């Protein structure tokens, strides 16, 4: 891509908020478009300009539209002399004028077939975000990428053949600049909506409010019955900066999740409350520990009774409450800002934009792996063992990889991709330190982050400088080094996980490679894409890889595992994904653990 990539965020605001905002500022609707937009964004409602500012920090041009703000859109019509007659036509005119590379729909109710069809030719990528029940008219099949803070939604989208990314919500630290001098005058608060989508959680909140005073703000008060415990101390709606100010004035604030969240922590209040320095008392969810340290940064309840007990305890122990609140705020400011979220989003979008540009430029090779002949070890030549250095191989291999990646994003996984992710998943965590030996063009960085839905601390090494050059072009955020894989420059046990991928089969001195692999591994070793036999001894072959003559070893399984055992690694799990017993040939992914 040339120049700075551009993105247009398309949003909607709550209708009641828009009505109230323009009622409080009666002259605003007569102002120019930019003045109205600045006024609305300045309220810090929802995600405001947090996404666009984060993308700008990552080097993008970014714009915002609030498409259901009628006075705002009418001002745009006047200033641009548009002849559009309805909201969709206005939006299409705006998109054509701005001409972004990427459209990012923050409200999927906008993702109708009519709109997506109309804008398709004017943008390169259409993205959508969802963290609520799916709108019935959303045409997901016409969206290129979907982001969601619901892990279960991500998995379901992928099962439908859609490209979906897990992206937690976040907090914008700039909000704190507007909250100076707030005292913690509210002991226990709840700030959030009440609606049919919150049926189970509304019952939970009523049970809590019947046992302890709970000051409540948010929409939906009219739906409460007169005798509802929530109605006793309901103070009306609170939007944007007013909401943030209330959180900054709360000693403890209660959180609960929408029914559609199922058993996953995901909502904005997790980050808004901790970001504003309140003690967050939230409902337990399976993935909450991935976001916060439970008991040290946030407090969790599993029942209304437990919520009441915890609220009373921390109200009676303010120093403990303040310590947890401060730790939660530090965690949010350090790890859960919009700038950090958008840095990752920018990386993903740039990758997919590149793939759009690369379409048709990479041609699948006529030959991939053929011409196998048995070989005596003494017949191995230096040219065979250095075949991977050929500058012709990277483009040929990448064309095949690109096809496999495209299939992955359509929900069809190449067996090696699936097995590697499956075997690492039980111990995967954010910033897991992984070294891949034999990384080629680095595509496992992309595969693992996508399939594990985790940002990883990935390092790749390869013997081929052309491969490393290509890896750095495709994945500038990862670390890549060209070095002899039998003589690594890393410290002992530097990486939690070391992957030996499609390496050992191409080297005659595999014992030295295994020694180096075990030396730099802290706890786990994964041996992948290494052909195995079980009845025969280790076999030596010569073949053509992408048209270049090379050597290939088929290891006797017992002999191979014994080599790793000699260096302190025992077999923990083996997954066979391709077997031809009649030829004594197996494709297996191994997980070994340091003893």
């Amino acid at each position: 891509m040339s120049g700075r990539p551009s993105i247009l965020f398309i949003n909607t605001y709550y209708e009641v908020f828009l009505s109230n905002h323009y009622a409080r500022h009666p002259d605003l609707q007569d102002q120019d478009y930019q003045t109205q937009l600045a006024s609305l964004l300045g309220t810090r409602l929802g995600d405001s300009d947090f996404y666009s500012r984060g993308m700008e920090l990552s080097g993008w041009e970014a714009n915002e539209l609030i498409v259901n703000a009628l006075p705002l859109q009418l001002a745009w019509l006047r200033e641009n002399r548009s002849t559009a007659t309805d909201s969709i036509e206005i939006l299409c005119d705006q998109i054509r004028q701005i001409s972004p590379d990427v459209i990012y729909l923050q409200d999927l109710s906008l993702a109708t077939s009519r709109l997506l069809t109309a804008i398709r030719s004017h943008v390169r990528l259409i993205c959508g975000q969802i963290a609520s029940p799916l709108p019935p008219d959303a045409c997901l099949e016409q969206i290129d990428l979907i982001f969601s803070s619901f892990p279960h939604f991500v998995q379901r989208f992928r099962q439908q053949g859609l490209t979906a990314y897990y992206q937690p919500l976040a907090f914008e630290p700039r909000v704190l600049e507007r909250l100076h001098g707030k005292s913690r005058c509210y002991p226990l608060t709840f700030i959030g909506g009440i609606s049919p989508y919150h049926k189970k959680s509304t019952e939970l909140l009523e049970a809590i409010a019947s046992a302890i005073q709970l000051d409540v703000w948010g929409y939906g008060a009219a739906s409460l019955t007169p005798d509802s415990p929530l109605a006793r101390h309901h103070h009306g709606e609170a939007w944007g900066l007013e909401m943030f100010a209330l959180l900054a004035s709360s000693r403890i604030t209660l959180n609960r999740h929408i029914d559609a969240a199922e058993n996953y922590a995901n909502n904005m209040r997790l980050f808004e409350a901790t970001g504003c320095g309140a003690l967050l008392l939230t409902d337990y969810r399976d993935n909450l520990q991935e976001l916060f340290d439970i008991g040290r940064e946030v407090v969790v309840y599993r029942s209304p009774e437990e919520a009441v007990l915890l609220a009373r305890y921390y109200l009676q122990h303010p120093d403990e409450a303040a310590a947890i609140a401060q730790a939660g705020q530090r965690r949010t400011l350090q790890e859960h800002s919009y700038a950090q979220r958008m840095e990752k989003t920018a990386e993903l979008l740039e990758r997919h934009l590149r793939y759009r540009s690369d379409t048709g430029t990479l041609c699948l090779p006529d030959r991939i792996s053929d011409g196998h002949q048995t070989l005596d070890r003494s017949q191995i030549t230096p040219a065979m063992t250095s075949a991977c250095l050929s500058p012709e191989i990277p483009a040929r291999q990448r064309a095949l990889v690109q096809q496999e990646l495209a299939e992955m994003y359509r929900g069809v996984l190449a067996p090696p991709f699936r097995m590697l992710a499956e075997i690492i998943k039980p111990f995967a965590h954010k910033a897991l330190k992984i070294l891949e030996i034999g990384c080629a063009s680095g595509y496992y960085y992309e595969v693992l982050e996508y399939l594990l839905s985790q940002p990883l601390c990935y390092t790749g090494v390869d013997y081929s400088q052309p491969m490393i050059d290509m890896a750095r072009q495709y994945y500038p955020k990862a670390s890549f080094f060209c070095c002899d894989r039998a003589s690594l420059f890393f410290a002992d046990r530097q990486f939690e996980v070391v992957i030996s991928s499609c390496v050992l089969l191409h080297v005659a001195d595999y014992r030295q490679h295994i020694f180096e692999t075990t030396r730099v591994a802290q706890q786990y070793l994964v041996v992948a894409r290494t052909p195995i036999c079980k009845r025969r001894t280790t076999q030596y072959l010569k073949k053509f890889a992408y048209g270049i003559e090379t050597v290939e070893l088929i290891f006797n399984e017992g002999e191979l595992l014994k080599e790793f055992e000699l260096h302190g690694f025992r077999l923990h799990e083996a997954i066979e994904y391709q077997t031809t017993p009649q030829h004594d040939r197996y494709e297996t992914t191994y997980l070994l653990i340091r003893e």
Side-chain angles (χ1 to χ4, degrees):
M1 293 180 296
S2 60
R4 295 173 65 196
S6 59
I7 187 168
L8 174 61
F9 291 95
I10 302 176
N11 211 343
T12 60
Y13 278 11
Y14 291 108
E15 294 288 353
V16 64
F17 165 81
L18 291 171
S19 297
N20 291 342
H21 185 74
Y22 279 98
R24 287 197 300 269
H25 304 87
D27 297 331
L28 182 62
Q29 64 182 354
D30 298 322
Q31 300 297 315
D32 62 77
Y33 179 83
Q34 288 299 329
T35 299
Q36 292 190 45
L37 180 62
S39 176
L40 290 169
L41 294 176
T43 65
R44 298 298 184 236
L45 179 73
D47 40 51
S48 183
D49 63 348
F50 305 155
Y51 281 73
S52 56
R53 180 63 68 89
M55 291 298 288
E56 287 172 350
L57 292 173
S58 290
W60 283 56
E61 293 180 6
N63 287 283
E64 297 269 357
L65 295 178
I66 305 170
V67 297
N68 67 329
L70 182 58
L72 177 70
Q73 293 295 77
L74 290 175
W76 189 90
L77 274 178
R78 291 193 303 270
E79 294 171 23
N80 292 275
R81 299 177 182 177
S82 172
T83 59
T85 58
D86 63 25
S87 59
I88 296 297
E89 290 185 6
I90 298 172
L91 177 53
C92 289
D93 279 358
Q94 291 172 314
I95 291 170
R96 281 191 287 268
Q97 183 189 88
I98 297 170
S99 190
D101 293 306
V102 179
I103 290 291
Y104 194 109
L105 298 170
Q106 292 176 297
D107 180 352
L108 282 190
S109 68
L110 299 170
T112 62
S113 180
R114 179 190 172 195
L115 173 66
L116 298 180
T117 300
I119 67 175
R120 170 55 68 185
S121 62
H122 301 289
V123 298
R124 296 170 64 192
L125 280 178
I126 299 176
C127 302
Q129 175 176 285
I130 184 73
S132 60
L134 194 64
D137 295 331
C139 294
L140 300 186
E141 66 277 4
Q142 292 183 251
I143 298 176
D144 299 313
L145 309 178
I146 303 176
F147 293 89
S148 180
S149 57
F150 283 167
H152 51 303
F153 273 28
V154 171
Q155 293 306 315
R156 291 167 193 171
F157 292 147
R158 291 179 181 178
Q159 290 166 5
Q160 298 171 41
L162 305 171
T163 304
Y165 286 96
Y166 171 62
Q167 182 191 74
L169 300 172
F171 177 71
E172 177 50 62
R174 286 181 294 147
V175 167
L176 298 178
E177 299 170 5
R178 309 274 293 272
L179 300 178
H180 291 304
K182 298 295 179 183
S183 62
R184 303 282 173 185
C185 56
Y186 294 108
L188 178 64
T189 64
F190 170 75
I191 306 170
I194 297 168
S195 76
Y197 297 124
H198 303 88
K199 184 176 185 300
K200 293 179 182 178
S201 55
T202 300
E203 294 170 356
L204 180 144
L205 290 172
E206 287 184 324
I208 295 172
S210 66
I212 188 171
Q213 181 173 328
L214 180 65
D215 287 290
V216 180
W217 287 264
Y219 66 84
S223 66
L224 296 171
T225 60
D227 60 345
S228 170
L230 294 176
R232 295 180 205 150
H233 299 284
H234 200 294
H235 306 292
E237 297 169 355
W239 306 99
L241 280 172
E242 183 184 359
M243 177 206 69
F244 286 116
L246 289 168
L247 290 172
S249 301
S250 302
R251 292 168 60 188
I252 303 173
T253 194
L254 191 68
N255 181 48
R256 55 84 180 103
H257 284 83
I258 193 171
D259 299 347
E262 297 183 12
N263 211 39
Y264 293 97
N266 88 300
N267 64 14
M268 294 178 71
R269 197 69 74 245
L270 293 169
F271 309 107
E272 292 167 338
T274 52
C276 289
L279 172 60
L280 178 66
L281 176 57
T282 188
D283 45 350
Y284 176 80
R285 289 292 186 265
D286 289 341
N287 66 324
L288 183 61
Q289 187 67 35
E290 299 171 11
L291 302 170
F292 293 99
D293 188 347
I294 295 174
R296 195 181 73 84
E297 296 171 337
V298 298
V299 179
V300 303
Y301 63 88
R302 292 170 175 81
S303 67
E305 295 78 16
E306 187 176 17
V308 171
L309 289 173
L310 288 168
R312 286 175 174 161
Y313 176 85
Y314 285 106
L315 288 172
Q316 294 167 6
H317 298 82
D319 291 342
E320 290 184 43
I324 296 173
Q326 290 166 11
Q329 186 177 46
R330 282 195 301 271
R331 178 71 175 270
T332 290
L333 296 179
Q334 290 169 3
E335 295 187 15
H336 300 312
S337 71
Y338 279 98
Q340 290 164 310
R341 299 284 192 259
M342 292 301 100
E343 181 180 14
K344 191 64 185 180
T345 297
E347 178 187 359
L348 299 176
L349 294 179
E350 287 165 16
R351 181 179 303 159
H352 284 278
L353 285 173
R354 172 171 185 162
Y355 291 168
R356 290 298 174 98
S357 299
D358 285 351
T359 300
T361 62
L362 295 173
C363 299
L364 283 173
D366 296 328
R367 304 173 67 182
I368 298 173
S369 179
D370 60 11
H372 292 75
Q373 296 181 25
T374 58
L375 189 70
D376 186 88
R377 182 170 181 174
S378 63
Q379 296 175 300
I380 299 173
T381 66
M384 291 180 187
T385 57
S386 62
C388 65
L389 299 177
S390 170
E392 299 175 17
I393 288 181
R396 296 174 186 177
Q397 187 196 70
R398 187 69 199 193
L400 180 61
V401 165
Q402 213 61 44
Q403 182 182 67
E404 292 175 328
L405 291 173
E407 291 174 351
M408 178 183 76
Y409 290 123
R410 291 193 295 267
V412 180
L413 296 180
F417 291 5
R418 185 175 72 253
M419 298 307 156
L420 184 59
E422 182 179 321
I423 214 161
I424 291 176
K425 186 174 182 179
F427 51 87
H429 61 82
K430 183 178 180 181
L432 178 70
K433 292 182 66 176
I434 289 180
L435 171 67
E436 184 186 1
I437 301 174
C439 66
S441 60
Y443 56 92
Y444 272 130
Y445 167 68
E446 175 177 354
V447 169
L448 289 176
E449 285 206 335
Y450 185 72
L451 297 182
L452 298 176
S453 294
Q454 291 275 9
L456 304 172
C457 184
Y458 172 97
T459 300
V461 299
D462 201 276
Y463 194 42
S464 165
Q465 186 64 54
M467 282 292 195
I468 291 299
D469 291 342
M470 178 176 281
R472 289 170 176 163
Q473 291 171 11
Y474 274 98
Y475 309 108
K477 297 292 185 180
S479 297
F480 294 100
F481 302 96
C482 182
C483 66
D484 184 351
R485 298 157 300 190
S487 182
L488 301 172
F489 58 83
F490 302 112
D492 292 354
R493 305 190 184 193
Q494 184 171 336
F495 299 91
E496 295 173 73
V497 182
V498 174
I499 302 168
S500 177
S501 178
C502 207
V503 174
L504 298 176
L505 73 163
H506 293 311
V507 294
D509 59 340
Y510 63 86
R511 288 186 174 88
Q512 178 61 26
H513 281 73
I514 289 174
F515 170 76
E516 281 293 275
T517 301
T518 58
R519 181 183 66 80
V520 299
Q522 182 185 115
Q523 187 171 8
Y524 300 105
L525 271 179
V526 179
V527 181
R529 307 190 89 155
T530 303
I532 295 298
C533 59
K534 297 186 178 182
R535 299 190 302 270
R536 297 169 293 166
T537 59
T538 296
Q539 306 291 300
Y540 291 84
L541 306 173
K542 67 176 180 178
K543 71 165 189 177
F544 289 93
Y546 303 101
I548 310 295
E549 190 176 57
T550 186
V551 66
E552 177 172 297
L553 278 68
I554 303 176
F555 288 92
N556 174 272
E557 184 177 54
E559 293 176 15
L560 179 66
L561 295 177
K562 184 65 175 178
E563 288 294 328
F564 285 100
E565 288 175 8
L566 292 174
H567 300 291
F569 280 84
R570 61 174 175 82
L571 178 64
H572 178 74
E573 185 178 3
I575 305 177
E576 289 184 359
Y577 58 89
Q578 187 173 331
T579 65
T580 51
Q582 66 272 27
H583 296 122
D584 191 23
R585 179 73 180 258
Y586 303 85
E587 299 290 342
T588 308
T589 299
Y590 297 97
L591 174 64
L592 301 102
I593 298 182
R594 185 179 288 278
E595 294 183 305

